């Protein structure tokens, strides 16, 4: 018996001697046409067979490799088999794959597919460009990729293809934001998945609570509910069900009694027994069986021929009713059950699997550079969309078109970048759980598409500035070897020009101030803007750590020493200094700044870096930060306005990755400490709770640069772990810029465990913030950049079973997309991030964020490759799909490269809770949606200009403004506005706000003419959503006001009221 079959001890007809058998229990129909008709039947157990495939848009292979090897044949053969029998059904998720297939079909095949969609045989669920991850993306990326898929469906199929629900079967955890925003606000009624926390699954399966009403938003309450549940399979860690007919390797349904392997009676009895078993875990007489797994149905007849037989024969047994169905049909029957459902408000992070040592919390940080690239590209995309709307530059003007474009959906020069960013939000994309060559493919696609958009941005600036002669260059990190990476102080145009102009576009709806740091070649510079004269600025020499970063990109494979030196010389940063100044930019507008090193009259202040030998402090208008020179670390932070202060130690440290064995911790019962689970791309499992110094034991060094606009402290822990602290004039945060890598594979400063082998230790690197606040085990993390979620160390939310500690660090890590905070009831310490990371509060008053990982072992979840990234993008070229490389150490297989170096920023806020809560949202906007910059060697001065007549209220964000889908929506543009704050977050800003859009959008380039409110993805106008009868088993009173009642747009005067956390979507035209 195959291991996927339930182990049932049934007596089969063929077990009886031939002479004693009698007639077979089931015989095939005389005409061999099986009765596949059917539907729900009252009074019986109804089994909904849902035919599906799960197609990763990149994992072990790239998206295009998967498409041509597997997915093309899935869609093609499914369409053929659906056309054979009108009772058969199929659901499909990944529109990014479907669009590739669609582009290759003749009109006749397309018409057939349209008929299948219209009849409901082929149904799109999710309908996004991919099945996105729920831990890594910002809500902006989640919305964009879902919208792209929905707009393709709208374009090709109209209203009949609008997805009715979400099918998030493979992501490794589930966020509240995905439930209430992506699902409910898109007017999708359900969300099903295949993975959930094992103890939670076991409790709920016993109590018939595997399905519930998910009310994910604290702010919007029951106005954003969906029906949610776990597919019954493999203790909450799978999504294929026990049925498997994908190939001739699987046991088939044999109904010919003249054959020796006749087994249809066994199949019928097994199906009935399994249905009776599953009925014990569900509240109604309806259960859903997922029929399919990864890349199934490449020869769809294997599935449909067997399912046809099961439906035909099982329905002859009167105890259950089985039929082809979809999740939408299934949920309709749940509605009709007329019962009261549990309402649940907790999210589903982190997942715990197996014996308690497999926590899916490593991928919260895995592949940090790709996570960062997606975040940066997403902001650039949205700025470019705005510029395109205002400039009206057509795609026909773009000469640098993407060489490998995404399947086209819209008509803009931003369309391909939209597709590549959307593709990378896949749950094996920016999650970091794909193979190295696939990660490289995601990154390359984004960079290629950005070149096209960079040209469009330059042309747009020409239009807005009124001068077509300007030539613009960009430093967005899209060239080889980091040659234009501004975050490592590489920008050829600013380095090699005696004078240049910066044009800065502010994509936000409020005025923005932003300090920029530009590489230049000498210390004498002057910055001016408009008619205001010189702008205060500072110049300092580039530090050695930063200068060495581009040299790490070199692959030294088979190079001589002389060749290495020649290549390093070509890659070297030619800049000598950093020029820093503050830009002030109007809302949805631009400002220009000119920097010159010739004829300077009011030069920037040239600052010197000096080593700190005594205790010192740095300060601005809001903060004073004290440093302990003897120990080389921070010691205290004080809010100068409120007077609040706390001890503060900021350190870079690392956990030793487990390769399997016993977790060293007094918090874990002895019998629960040991397991084979290793830390890997998916899983985080340290050997112990001990944090190690990043290198041989030493005292970090501190160097100080003091200026009137900005003060910096350079901290060096080791040659691979450094930090720069910055306090800016008039800013409400302490900037902490960390640089980590190359993380050494070996650990020579510790004694060798085995004299015959080097100390290859996996290292999970964190930035730790230790305060003296008494926080009672409690901390808060954001959900995809939206509402904050309360976390309690060594516990789960109130709807979970009691938590048993097995991994005291990994089990307390959660995704942090933009901020994490602790408080003592009066004062708060918060850290805002510029990229998604794993983090937690392992000790009272502490916050730690994992910023980088370099591992030596795979975690046995299918990727078969250690997470061992290098600056060259290679790992071990002998590691091919289905085979693990020799060991993945650098130097193997032609990869003689340094380990990956990652640089990022944290923004620390401290003070009274209400003040910090208010400011942290503003800082998150500054960190994640900075100005888009373009550089020109032309020297010009143009007055700053805004597209808005007035800024939006401070709690509102301009989320989307794009013309990409105008041709799909009768030449209407897509506009989104969101409330930045959640209920109870700010005493002044966490309230509904009413805005007259006609008064905001009233300038000539952006004068509002018509407006229509739609659901989230602009597929249809708003409609009435299902209200479920619910009860709350937790019964806790809400801490803050819930805004259950939505407010519709007043079309007459174009005013709209937006509730806390809410996203409003419109289709608009401008005069």
């Amino acid at each position: 018996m195959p291991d996927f079959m339930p182990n049932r001890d049934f007596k089969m007809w063929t077990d009886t001697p031939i002479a004693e058998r009698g007639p077979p229990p089931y015989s095939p129909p005389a005409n061999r046409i099986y009765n596949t008709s059917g539907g729900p039947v009252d009074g019986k157990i109804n089994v909904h067979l849902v035919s599906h495939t799960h197609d990763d848009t990149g994992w072990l292979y790239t998206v295009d490799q998967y498409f041509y090897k597997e997915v093309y044949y899935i869609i093609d053969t499914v369409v053929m088999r659906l056309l054979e029998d009108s009772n058969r059904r199929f659901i499909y998720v990944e529109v990014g794959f479907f669009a590739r297939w669609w582009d290759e079909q003749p009109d006749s095949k397309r018409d057939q597919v349209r008929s299948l969609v219209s009849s409901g045989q082929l149904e799109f669920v999710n309908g996004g460009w991919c099945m996105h991850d729920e831990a890594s993306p910002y809500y902006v990326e989640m919305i964009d990729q879902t919208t792209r898929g929905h707009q393709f469906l709208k374009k090709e199929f109209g209203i009949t293809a609008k997805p009715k629900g979400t099918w998030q079967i493979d992501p490794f955890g589930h966020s509240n934001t995905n439930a209430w925003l992506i699902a409910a606000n898109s007017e999708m009624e359900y969300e099903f998945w295949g993975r959930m926390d094992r103890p939670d699954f076991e409790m709920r399966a016993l109590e018939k609570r595997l399905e519930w009403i998910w009310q994910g938003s604290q702010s919007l309450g029951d106005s954003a509910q969906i029906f949610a549940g776990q597919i019954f399979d493999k203790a909450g860690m799978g999504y294929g069900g026990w049925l498997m007919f994908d190939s001739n390797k699987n046991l088939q349904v044999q109904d010919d009694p003249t054959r020796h392997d006749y087994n249809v009676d066994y199949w019928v009895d097994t199906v009935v027994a399994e249905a009776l078993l599953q009925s014990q875990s569900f509240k109604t007489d309806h259960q859903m069986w997922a029929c399919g797994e990864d890349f199934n149905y490449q020869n769809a007849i294997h599935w449909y021929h067997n399912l046809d037989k099961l439906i035909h024969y099982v329905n002859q047994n009167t105890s259950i009713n089985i039929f082809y169905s979809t999740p939408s049909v299934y949920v309709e029957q749940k509605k009709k059950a007329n019962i009261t459902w549990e309402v649940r408000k907790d999210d589903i992070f982190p997942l715990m699997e197996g014996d308690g040592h497999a926590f899916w919390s490593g991928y919260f940080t895995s592949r940090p550079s790709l996570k960062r690239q997606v975040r940066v590209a997403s902001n650039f995309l949205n700025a470019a969309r705005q510029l395109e709307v205002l400039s009206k530059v057509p795609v026909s003007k773009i000469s640098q078109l993407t060489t490998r474009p995404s399947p086209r959906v819209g008509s803009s020069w931003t369309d391909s970048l939209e597709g590549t960013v959307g593709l990378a939000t896949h749950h094996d994309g920016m999650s970091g759980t794909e193979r190295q060559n696939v990660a490289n493919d995601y990154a390359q696609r984004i960079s290629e598409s950005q070149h096209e958009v960079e040209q469009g941005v330059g042309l747009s600036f020409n239009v807005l500035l009124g001068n077509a002669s300007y030539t613009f260059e960009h430093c967005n990190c899209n060239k080889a070897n980091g040659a234009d990476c501004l975050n490592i102080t590489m920008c050829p145009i600013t380095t090699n020009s005696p004078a240049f102009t910066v044009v800065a576009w502010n994509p936000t709806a409020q005025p923005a101030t932003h300090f920029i740091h530009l590489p230049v070649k000498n210390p004498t510079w002057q910055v001016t803007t408009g008619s205001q004269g010189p702008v205060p600025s500072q110049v300092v020499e580039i530090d050695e750590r930063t200068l060495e970063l581009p040299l790490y990109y070199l692959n030294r494979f088979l190079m001589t020493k002389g060749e290495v030196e020649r290549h390093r010389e070509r890659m070297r940063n030619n800049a000598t200094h950093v020029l820093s100044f503050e830009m002030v930019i109007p809302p949805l507008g631009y400002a220009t700044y000119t920097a010159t090193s010739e004829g300077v009259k009011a030069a920037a202040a040239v600052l010197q870096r000096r080593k700190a030998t005594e205790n010192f402090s740095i300060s601005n208008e809001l903060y004073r930060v004290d440093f302990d020179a003897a120990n080389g670390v921070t010691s205290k932070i004080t809010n100068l306005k409120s007077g609040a202060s706390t001890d503060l130690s900021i350190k870079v440290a690392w956990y030793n990755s487990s390769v399997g064995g016993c977790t060293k911790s007094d918090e874990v019962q002895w019998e629960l400490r040991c397991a084979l689970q290793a830390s890997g791309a998916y899983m985080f499992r340290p050997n112990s709770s001990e944090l190690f110094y990043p290198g041989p034991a030493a005292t970090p060094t501190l160097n100080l640069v003091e200026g009137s606009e900005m003060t910096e402290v350079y901290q060096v822990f080791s040659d691979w772990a450094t930090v720069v602290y910055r306090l800016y004039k008039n800013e409400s945060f302490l900037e902490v810029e960390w640089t980590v890598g190359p993380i050494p594979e070996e650990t020579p400063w510790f004694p060798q465990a085995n004299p015959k082998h080097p100390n290859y230790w996996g290292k999970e690197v964190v930035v730790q913030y230790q305060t003296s606040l008494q926080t009672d085990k409690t901390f808060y993390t954001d959900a995809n950049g939206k509402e904050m979620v309360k976390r309690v160390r060594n516990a789960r939310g109130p709807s979970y079973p009691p938590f048993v500690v097995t991994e005291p660090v990994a089990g307390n890590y959660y995704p942090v997309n933009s901020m994490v905070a602790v408080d003592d009831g009066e004062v708060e310490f918060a850290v805002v991030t510029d990229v998604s990371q794993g983090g937690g509060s392992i000790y009272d008053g502490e916050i730690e964020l994992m910023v980088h990982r370099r591992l030596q072992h795979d975690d046995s979840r299918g990727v078969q490759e250690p997470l061992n990234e290098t600056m060259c993008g290679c790992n071990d070229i002998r590691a091919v799909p289905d085979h693990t490389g020799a060991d993945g150490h650098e130097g193997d297989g032609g990869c003689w490269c340094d380990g990956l170096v990652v640089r990022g920023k944290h923004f620390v806020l401290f003070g009274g809770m209400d003040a910090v809560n208010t400011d942290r949202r503003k800082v998150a906007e500054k960190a994640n949606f900075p100005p888009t910059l373009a550089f020109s060697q032309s020297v010009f001065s143009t007055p700053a200009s805004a597209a808005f007549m007035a800024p939006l209220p401070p709690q509102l964000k301009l989320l989307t403004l794009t013309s990409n889908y105008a041709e799909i929506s009768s030449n209407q543009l897509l506009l989104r506005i969101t409330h930045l704050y959640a209920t109870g977050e700010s005493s002044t800003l966490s309230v509904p706000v009413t805005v007259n859009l006609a008064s905001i959008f009233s300038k000539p380039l952006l004068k509002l003419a018509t407006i229509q409110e739609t659901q989230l993805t602009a597929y249809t106008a708003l409609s009435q959503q299902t209200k479920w009868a619910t009860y709350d088993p937790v019964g806790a009173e809400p801490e803050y006001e819930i805004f259950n009642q939505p407010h519709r747009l007043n079309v007459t005067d174009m005013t709209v009221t937006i509730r806390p956390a809410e996203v409003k979507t419109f289709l608009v035209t401008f005069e």
Side-chain angles (χ1 to χ4, degrees):
M1 182 190 306
D3 60 8
F4 65 85
M5 290 283 288
N7 187 10
R8 306 292 186 192
D9 187 18
F10 298 126
K11 183 174 177 62
M12 298 171 64
W13 182 66
T14 53
D15 293 336
T16 304
I18 294 177
E20 303 174 13
R21 280 181 186 171
Y26 303 98
S27 297
N31 59 5
R32 283 289 177 170
I33 297 175
Y34 298 100
N35 181 8
T36 59
S37 63
V41 175
D42 292 339
K44 286 190 175 185
I45 294 175
N46 289 271
V47 177
H48 297 246
L49 299 179
V50 176
S51 296
H52 79 104
T53 178
H54 172 55
D55 299 339
D56 290 305
T57 51
W59 181 38
L60 304 181
Y61 300 95
T62 69
V63 61
D64 285 343
Q65 290 169 337
Y66 269 135
F67 176 68
Y68 283 107
K69 286 165 58 71
E70 304 185 43
V71 177
Y72 182 93
Y73 304 102
I74 294 170
I75 301 173
D76 212 60
T77 61
V78 163
V79 167
M80 292 170 55
R81 299 309 170 193
L82 293 178
L83 291 169
E84 292 174 348
D85 185 345
S86 62
N87 294 310
R88 291 173 177 167
R89 296 197 176 202
F90 194 80
I91 62 170
Y92 199 71
V93 172
E94 297 87 2
V95 175
F97 271 137
F98 186 85
R100 284 169 163 78
W101 180 85
W102 186 260
D103 284 349
E104 299 186 9
Q105 303 312 306
D107 288 342
S108 58
K109 178 69 75 65
R110 291 184 177 188
D111 288 340
Q112 289 177 324
V113 174
R114 288 190 179 102
S115 70
L116 292 173
V117 173
S118 180
S119 69
Q121 281 187 264
L122 176 60
E123 181 176 332
F124 293 96
V125 293
N126 270 31
W129 205 238
C130 67
M131 185 183 292
H132 61 240
D133 183 39
E134 297 187 40
S136 303
Y138 218 61
Y139 70 97
V140 178
E141 291 102 61
M142 296 164 74
I143 292 172
D144 278 350
Q145 82 86 21
T146 305
T147 299
R148 180 174 180 82
H150 285 201
Q151 289 295 310
F152 174 88
L153 298 177
K154 180 180 178 180
K155 174 183 177 182
E156 300 297 346
F157 300 101
I159 188 64
T160 58
K162 180 183 176 184
K164 299 176 182 177
T166 66
W167 187 254
Q168 289 288 100
I169 56 174
D170 198 26
F172 326 119
H174 306 284
S175 79
N176 284 338
T177 302
N178 192 72
W180 72 261
L181 177 57
I182 306 303
N185 278 20
S186 296
E187 296 186 349
M188 294 191 276
E189 292 192 318
Y190 59 82
E191 178 176 349
F192 292 106
W193 53 80
R195 303 181 190 275
M196 66 186 291
D197 189 62
R198 181 178 63 82
D200 192 33
F201 175 87
E202 292 174 348
M203 175 191 75
R204 290 178 172 276
L206 290 173
E207 298 176 0
K208 293 193 173 184
R209 296 170 58 204
L210 283 174
E211 295 171 335
W212 59 83
I213 304 304
W214 199 351
Q215 186 172 301
S217 173
Q218 307 155 29
S219 305
L220 306 181
D222 63 13
S223 67
Q225 291 181 337
I226 60 164
F227 187 89
Q230 164 74 30
I231 297 169
F232 192 97
D233 178 45
K234 301 176 185 175
M237 279 295 161
Y239 46 81
W242 63 274
L243 289 175
M244 178 53 64
F245 298 120
D246 199 55
S247 73
N248 57 14
K249 296 178 182 178
N250 304 126
L251 184 66
Q252 309 293 298
V253 180
Q254 171 58 279
D255 62 344
D256 186 344
T258 67
R259 303 301 178 194
H260 286 285
D261 53 355
Y262 174 90
N263 64 10
V264 66
D265 53 344
Y266 177 81
W267 274 105
V268 170
D269 290 347
T270 302
V271 167
V272 171
E274 189 69 16
L276 291 171
L277 172 66
Q278 292 194 27
S279 69
Q280 299 173 26
S281 296
F282 294 91
K283 279 192 171 185
T284 75
D285 290 336
H286 292 264
Q287 54 188 261
M288 180 171 62
W289 292 10
C291 300
E293 285 192 354
D294 290 7
F295 300 102
N296 278 199
Y297 291 79
Q298 292 181 48
N299 187 357
I301 191 61
H302 279 289
W303 270 103
Y304 283 119
H305 185 56
N306 284 284
L307 292 177
D308 286 354
K309 292 180 180 180
L310 287 183
I311 293 170
H312 177 87
Y313 291 114
V314 170
N315 286 343
Q316 295 177 23
N317 183 311
T318 59
S319 59
I320 71 168
N321 177 49
I322 186 170
F323 54 94
Y324 285 118
S325 187
T326 68
S328 302
V329 174
Y330 176 71
V331 172
E332 281 300 314
Q333 295 304 311
K334 297 292 180 175
K335 291 181 190 176
K336 295 177 182 179
N338 194 29
I339 63 176
T340 301
W341 295 91
E342 171 190 354
V343 66
R344 193 178 191 188
K345 302 171 185 177
D346 293 322
D347 65 359
I348 305 176
F349 284 122
L351 301 190
M352 188 268 275
E353 178 187 337
D355 55 15
H357 295 277
F359 281 92
W360 296 66
S361 52
Y363 79 101
F364 299 160
T365 296
S366 296
R367 301 201 187 278
S369 60
L370 180 59
K371 285 178 167 66
R372 173 71 176 159
Q373 185 180 17
V374 172
R375 181 73 60 86
V376 171
S378 176
N379 178 52
F380 184 58
L381 169 64
N382 278 299
R385 289 163 160 175
Q386 297 167 355
L387 288 164
E388 182 186 35
V389 168
L390 290 163
S391 69
K392 298 181 174 60
V393 171
V395 71
S396 59
K397 295 288 186 181
I398 307 299
S399 60
Q400 298 179 14
L401 296 176
T402 304
T403 54
R404 297 188 302 169
S406 300
R408 183 161 286 280
V409 177
S411 56
S412 163
W413 39 266
T414 64
D415 186 75
S416 189
L417 179 58
E418 179 184 279
T420 57
V421 172
L423 189 75
T425 65
H426 170 56
H427 62 270
D428 281 311
M430 68 182 298
S431 61
T433 54
E434 69 276 40
R435 281 179 166 257
Q436 183 64 59
N437 65 301
V438 180
N440 296 344
D441 186 68
Y442 287 126
Q444 182 178 354
R445 289 173 186 274
I446 292 173
S447 289
E448 287 178 354
S449 297
Q450 278 197 264
H451 287 303
E452 176 181 356
V453 177
E454 285 177 344
Q455 186 186 12
V457 167
L459 293 174
S460 296
F461 279 140
N462 286 144
V463 172
L464 297 180
L465 293 166
N467 191 322
S469 66
Y470 300 147
T471 300
F472 290 100
E473 295 183 28
H474 306 268
C475 291
N476 295 327
C477 214
N478 290 313
K479 293 181 180 178
N481 301 326
D484 64 341
C485 288
L486 199 55
N487 75 320
I488 63 169
T489 323
M490 293 280 282
C491 186
I493 187 170
T494 65
T495 299
N496 300 319
S497 303
F500 55 87
T501 299
V502 185
V503 183
W505 176 258
N506 174 16
T508 70
Q510 292 81 27
T513 59
H514 194 82
F515 274 86
I516 62 169
H517 310 280
L518 304 177
V520 292
K521 252 187 183 173
N522 67 67
T524 306
W525 287 87
Q526 177 177 292
V527 179
T528 58
T529 181
S531 59
Q532 299 176 21
V535 174
S537 52
Q538 299 179 182
V539 175
V540 66
E541 284 189 8
I542 302 176
D543 62 289
E544 289 300 317
R545 170 71 155 152
T546 297
L547 284 173
E548 70 185 9
L549 295 180
L551 307 181
Y552 288 126
Y553 284 97
L554 182 63
N555 187 344
R556 303 179 298 278
F557 182 61
L558 299 183
M559 283 188 183
T560 65
K561 185 177 180 180
E563 289 172 329
V564 169
E565 287 305 312
R566 286 193 294 273
H567 278 85
R568 286 170 62 90
E569 190 60 34
R570 285 197 294 268
M571 298 166 68
R572 201 173 301 279
N573 188 348
N574 292 323
T576 59
H577 291 75
V578 177
L579 171 65
S580 301
F581 58 92
E582 183 184 51
M583 300 182 297
V584 181
I585 318 167
L588 199 68
Y590 64 82
T592 63
Y593 288 80
T594 298
T596 181
S597 61
E598 299 175 339
V600 172
K601 296 180 180 179
V606 181
L607 307 178
Q608 302 299 320
R609 192 175 292 109
R610 62 180 176 84
K611 185 174 182 180
T613 56
E614 297 180 349
N615 294 349
F616 66 94
S617 64
I618 62 175
S619 61
N620 65 2
E621 295 76 8
L622 183 59
Y623 294 121
R624 184 182 71 242
V625 182
D626 298 335
F627 287 81
D628 178 351
N631 293 304
V633 294
T634 56
S635 59
K636 180 178 285 190
I637 185 170
T638 301
N639 186 302
L640 299 176
K641 286 188 176 180
S642 69
S645 67
T646 180
D647 295 341
L648 174 61
S649 173
I650 304 176
K651 297 179 180 178
V652 178
W654 58 277
Y655 290 106
N656 180 20
S657 310
S658 175
V659 297
C662 299
T663 300
K664 301 173 186 176
S665 174
D666 292 337
E667 294 184 81
V668 183
Q669 299 175 43
W670 179 258
E671 63 273 16
L672 300 178
R673 291 185 181 184
C674 302
L676 296 176
Q677 182 62 56
S679 203
Y682 299 91
M683 306 297 171
F684 170 37
R685 189 188 179 202
N687 269 346
S688 70
S689 301
E690 182 177 1
L691 281 170
F692 297 96
Y693 188 87
T699 299
T701 62
L702 298 172
N703 285 273
L704 175 64
V705 178
E706 294 182 281
S708 59
E709 305 301 309
M710 172 188 69
T711 297
E712 298 178 305
V713 178
Y714 291 74
Q715 183 183 43
V716 177
F717 289 89
S718 66
D719 58 357
W720 58 272
T722 57
V723 175
V724 180
Y725 303 94
R726 295 188 181 96
L727 269 182
Y728 298 98
K729 183 178 179 180
N730 296 321
E731 290 288 10
S732 61
F733 56 84
L734 167 68
E735 182 179 290
V736 181
E737 182 183 73
W738 48 267
T739 306
V740 173
I743 302 173
E745 292 185 293
E746 295 190 46
T747 318
W749 55 89
F750 287 149
Q752 284 185 235
N754 186 332
K756 296 182 179 180
H757 299 284
N759 277 353
Y760 284 129
W761 286 19
K763 299 175 180 67
E764 326 252 7
V765 183
V766 304
V767 177
Q768 183 192 45
Y769 300 84
Q770 181 66 60
T771 75
S772 53
L773 298 182
Q774 300 301 306
T775 55
D776 193 26
K777 298 184 178 181
T778 302
F779 60 107
Y780 299 83
T781 64
D782 72 300
N784 308 106
K786 273 296 183 181
E787 296 173 313
M788 299 291 279
V789 182
K790 181 179 179 179
R791 313 293 190 186
V792 178
R793 187 167 66 255
N794 291 338
R796 291 292 182 261
S799 65
Y800 280 82
F803 186 71
V804 177
V805 178
T806 51
E807 290 290 336
V809 179
N812 286 298
Y813 259 52
Y814 294 86
V816 177
N817 304 107
S818 68
M819 63 184 73
V820 54
V822 293
D823 66 74
D824 65 3
E826 295 183 0
V827 297
E828 177 177 324
F829 183 88
V831 180
V832 171
T833 69
D834 64 353
V835 71
S836 295
Q837 296 164 344
S841 179
I842 308 305
Y843 309 98
D844 256 22
E846 183 245 21
I847 288 173
E848 63 183 56
L849 290 158
M850 186 185 293
V851 297
H852 199 358
R853 317 176 73 208
R854 193 176 193 187
L855 312 179
Q856 304 301 312
H857 288 261
D858 178 56
D859 54 13
S860 304
R861 292 305 182 278
V863 76
Q864 300 178 14
E865 180 180 274
L867 186 67
N868 187 2
E869 296 184 276
T870 68
M871 289 293 281
C872 308
C874 56
N875 182 330
D876 183 341
I877 61 172
R878 290 177 292 180
V880 296
D882 303 320
H883 296 82
T884 302
D887 48 28
H889 299 145
E890 65 182 47
D892 295 338
C895 187
W896 290 8
C897 291
D898 292 299
L900 180 69
V901 183
V902 183
R903 171 172 283 181
K905 293 180 180 180
H906 293 160
F907 303 83
V908 171
L909 296 90
F910 173 71
M913 290 178 60
D914 189 58
V916 171
N917 286 351
T918 300
D919 285 344
R920 69 191 184 190
R921 290 290 177 185
K922 300 173 185 177
V923 174
E925 287 294 290
K926 186 184 290 284
N928 293 292
F929 304 96
T932 288
L933 306 179
F935 303 91
S936 177
Q937 288 183 320
S938 301
V939 176
F940 57 87
S941 179
T942 303
S945 178
F948 278 167
M949 182 61 71
L952 284 175
Q955 62 267 68
L956 296 186
K957 172 183 176 60
L958 176 65
L959 183 56
T960 311
L961 177 61
T962 180
S963 59
N964 191 35
Y965 310 123
E967 293 181 2
I968 303 172
S969 298
S970 304
N971 293 318
Q972 297 174 98
L973 281 63
L974 193 157
L975 168 68
R976 282 196 195 92
I977 298 173
T978 185
H979 201 301
L980 288 171
Y981 292 83
T983 183
E985 189 169 11
S986 167
S987 62
T988 56
L989 299 180
S990 292
V991 293
V993 58
T994 300
V995 60
N996 186 301
L997 296 178
S999 67
I1000 302 292
F1001 294 89
S1002 58
K1003 280 191 141 182
L1005 289 178
L1006 215 59
K1007 190 171 184 179
L1008 196 58
T1010 64
I1011 184 167
Q1012 174 193 9
E1013 188 172 358
T1014 72
Q1015 45 73 267
L1016 182 69
T1017 62
Y1019 204 124
T1020 59
L1022 287 174
S1023 61
Q1024 192 67 36
Q1025 295 302 289
T1026 300
K1027 287 289 185 181
W1028 297 84
T1030 62
Y1031 72 96
D1032 187 349
V1034 175
E1037 288 295 319
E1039 189 174 356
Y1040 302 106
E1041 182 178 2
I1042 297 175
F1043 301 94
N1044 289 300
Q1045 186 59 47
H1047 302 272
R1048 297 295 175 91
L1049 169 75
N1050 186 324
V1051 180
T1052 304
D1053 63 5
M1054 299 186 183
T1055 61
V1056 63
T1057 299
I1058 304 179
R1059 298 172 289 167
E1062 189 173 25
V1063 175
K1064 287 282 192 178
T1065 305
F1066 311 95
L1067 288 174
V1068 302
T1069 60
F1070 297 107
E1071 292 182 3

